[in-house]
Amino acid sequence: MFTSASQLLGTAAAAYGVLAALAVLLQARQMLARRTSCEVSGRFFASYAGGYALWLAYGLSSGNVPLIVVDAVGLLCGGLTLAVALSLRGSLARPASWTSCTAIPVTREDPASLRPAAATAAKKPA
């Protein structure tokens, strides 16, 4: 199957690269579950996708298939995550809306006051 250690290492690196590129989708899933993207940097995801785009262009110019596959997956996943982040901040068609973000206020309340009402009602004396 593998004729050399170099081929085995190249296959392992490509597989790891694809898995690493897919990992950014976990952030997209988290943003969708919370329905907010205030806690993530849109600039980071733009540079993330841009880096994959540059490496994809290099892979295409050199004809390196493993590099093309890894960077195509990375660009797709990074672009999708960036689109999710920006769409949660406003319209993808209106870049001016991308800076609008309503942060959840952080309070210094007693942890007991953050429990559900049913849990605190059970502890009250009758």
Side-chain angles (χ1 to χ4, degrees), residues 37-38 86 88-91 94-102:
S37 65
C38 292
L86 296 178
L88 288 171
R89 293 181 187 185
S91 170
R94 288 189 358 241
S97 67
W98 296 347
T99 58
S100 64
C101 198
T102 54

Side-chain angles (χ1 to χ4, degrees), residues 27 29-37 39 88 104:
Q27 185 66 54
R29 187 184 84 183
Q30 190 76 347
M31 287 186 288
L32 288 171
R34 292 182 178 173
R35 304 299 305 158
T36 183
S37 65
E39 66 278 355
L88 288 171
I104 300 169

Side-chain angles (χ1 to χ4, degrees), residues 55-69 71:
W55 277 103
L56 178 59
Y58 173 72
L60 289 169
S61 71
S62 67
N64 187 329
V65 175
L67 194 60
I68 293 169
V69 170
D71 294 322

Side-chain angles (χ1 to χ4, degrees), residues 25-26 49 64-65 76 91-92:
L25 293 178
L26 296 172
N64 187 329
V65 175
L76 179 69
S91 170
L92 282 176

Side-chain angles (χ1 to χ4, degrees), residues 3-26:
T3 58
S4 71
S6 176
Q7 280 185 320
L8 176 62
L9 185 59
T11 302
Y16 181 83
V18 168
L19 291 175
L22 290 170
V24 75
L25 293 178
L26 296 172

